[in-house]
Amino acid sequence: FAIVNTNGFYDGLQVQLERIFSDRFAPEDNRQAYFMAETPAEAFRYIHNYEPVRLGRKRLVNIFQT
C-alpha cells in the first residue's frame, strides 16, 4: 500500500515503521509491504507500476519459551 505523507503528517508513523525493522520485530523484506510517498502523484506512480512480491514468513517469538 502507499501512504501519502502530506506536509510530514505521517513522519511519526515512518519513524515507528523504521523502528520495527531496526529492532528486528519484522524481517527486512517486509519493507516492501508499504511505500511512503511525498505526493499523490508519486503514490499513483507506485500503485500503477506495482508488482506483487512474496514476503518472507512472519517470525513470531514465543515469549514463554525458556
Side-chain angles (χ1 to χ4, degrees):
F1 63 92
I3 301 167
V4 180
N5 190 17
T6 305
N7 295 325
F9 184 82
Y10 289 109
D11 286 350
L13 176 61
Q14 190 167 14
V15 169
Q16 183 61 39
L17 290 170
E18 288 303 315
R19 182 171 178 199
I20 287 170
F21 299 113
S22 68
D23 288 355
R24 297 174 48 182
F25 186 76
E28 280 292 321
D29 64 342
N30 284 7
R31 286 180 188 274
Q32 300 174 53
Y34 71 94
F35 177 74
M36 191 74 69
E38 294 297 321
T39 65
E42 188 180 13
F44 280 118
R45 274 192 304 277
Y46 170 79
I47 292 167
H48 178 75
N49 296 316
Y50 178 78
E51 293 185 23
V53 295
R54 182 172 173 85
L55 299 177
R57 291 182 54 183
K58 185 175 182 181
R59 292 186 236 164
L60 296 177
V61 176
N62 183 349
I63 62 172
F64 300 107
Q65 186 176 10
T66 58

